Amino acid sequence: MHERTSSKRAASRLSRLTTALVLSASALLSANGPAHAAAPMDPLPADIPDYQAALDLVRSADVHDTVCRFLSVPVPQGDGVGTPQPIPDKADPCEGMPAFTVKDPLALNEITPGFAAGTSPPIATEAVKLTHLVSALSAPVNGRNATVMLAPTQGGGWHLAAVREGDSDATYAGRATVGTLVFAEPQIRGWYQLRLTTVEPLNDQARQGLNGQSSVSLSAYQKLLEVRYADKLPGSAYDTMGMSSGYGAAKKTEDAPSSTPVLVAGSGAALALAGGAFAFRRRRRGTIA
């Protein structure tokens, strides 16, 4: 039964992504058509399952209060191995803070393990997958921005996975347009735009990931990934030695009680939710999770 459910979900995801790509391709073609032709709507929300549930979540009081708790701690400093900072447990976590709202969630697409390993064909529906949703704040709060990250819930819907410093994830995710997909290679923090079968870099890390090229074919990009990750995929010696953490894993902080909200110093620090408790979330370069 579990295998049958997983197969249905995979087929559903493939169908949604294929539909979005078809609509996007149609939009590109129609762009050269008559000037009076109406532009199609952005297909992105159609590619996000349970989107209304995600909207309701980012607009909820619980998420708003969690962001306030996150912002109540000074900006983390250091290399990510500092002492945990307790987050004040106030009756009203937003007391004294300027009013803010959380923007509508955007898709965060990432490269798939099969594509990086070279076992999946170099086509968009196999190369990237929707892994999270990200929402930035409507405006900085006391000079700071934050990103709300949602993860899919088993059985449908979304749950709060993390609140992170800055808004770069949402900024890059928001650069998707009709006719393109934006995706991340989180191991190097690279962001790319996929235009039909052409991969273009959106930041310096991505440009380095393409060896300085302004664009490459999807198949050429796959070859670059194989070189980077062939010896670091799950099951490899690199993985079994415990060197990989995976992008999606939220690690609990060992030096503080799990019931106490904490923020660990470091530029990669964030509040995460793991088993109902706040935890430290950190990215490490390594394998495709």
Side-chain angles (χ1 to χ4, degrees):
M1 178 66 71
H2 177 72
E3 292 181 357
R4 190 182 312 163
T5 302
S6 299
S7 298
K8 288 182 178 179
R9 287 177 185 161
S12 176
R13 182 184 68 81
L14 179 61
S15 176
R16 287 193 301 270
L17 185 53
T18 301
T19 299
L21 289 172
V22 169
L23 290 172
S24 298
S26 299
L28 285 177
L29 292 174
S30 65
N32 295 322
H36 63 272
M41 295 182 63
D42 190 337
L44 181 61
D47 190 40
I48 300 177
D50 302 316
Y51 189 70
Q52 186 58 52
L55 280 174
D56 294 342
L57 180 57
V58 299
R59 295 170 181 171
S60 69
D62 285 345
V63 166
H64 191 271
D65 288 352
T66 300
V67 174
C68 287
R69 291 190 182 97
F70 177 79
L71 294 172
S72 67
V73 176
V75 177
Q77 302 295 328
D79 59 3
V81 293
T83 303
Q85 304 177 56
I87 293 175
D89 186 15
K90 300 185 297 184
D92 179 5
C94 300
E95 181 182 357
M97 286 192 180
F100 68 89
T101 58
V102 181
K103 293 181 181 179
D104 293 352
L106 300 170
L108 195 164
N109 298 297
E110 296 178 341
I111 55 175
T112 65
F115 181 68
T119 58
S120 298
I123 58 176
T125 52
E126 297 291 334
V128 300
K129 66 177 179 180
L130 175 66
T131 59
H132 293 86
L133 301 182
V134 288
S135 304
L137 304 187
S138 57
V141 176
N142 295 331
R144 291 174 62 185
N145 269 306
T147 295
V148 172
M149 180 175 286
L150 308 183
T153 300
Q154 187 173 6
W158 299 88
H159 63 270
L160 179 61
V163 180
R164 298 183 49 205
E165 190 73 27
D167 61 355
S168 60
D169 286 348
T171 297
Y172 283 116
R175 294 183 64 173
T177 62
V178 176
T180 69
L181 285 175
V182 168
F183 67 92
E185 183 186 337
Q187 291 69 24
I188 64 169
R189 300 187 181 183
W191 284 89
Y192 305 84
Q193 190 169 52
L194 177 61
R195 194 181 304 275
L196 295 180
T197 60
T198 301
V199 177
E200 302 170 353
L202 294 179
N203 64 358
D204 289 340
Q205 293 91 326
R207 278 182 279 276
Q208 293 173 11
L210 298 185
N211 295 332
Q213 300 177 83
S214 60
S215 66
V216 299
S217 68
L218 192 56
S219 58
Y221 174 61
Q222 184 177 35
K223 290 181 173 63
L224 293 172
L225 293 181
E226 288 183 64
V227 172
R228 279 202 282 277
Y229 305 120
D231 61 346
K232 297 180 178 65
L233 292 166
S236 66
Y238 186 88
D239 182 40
T240 56
M241 288 188 299
M243 297 296 291
S244 62
S245 63
Y247 177 65
K251 301 292 185 181
K252 285 191 177 181
T253 307
E254 297 177 354
D255 299 328
S258 62
S259 60
T260 303
V262 296
L263 182 64
V264 180
S267 59
L271 276 181
L273 296 174
F278 288 97
F280 172 50
R281 182 184 183 90
R282 181 191 303 170
R283 287 184 183 179
R284 282 190 294 169
R285 292 187 184 183
T287 69
I288 307 296

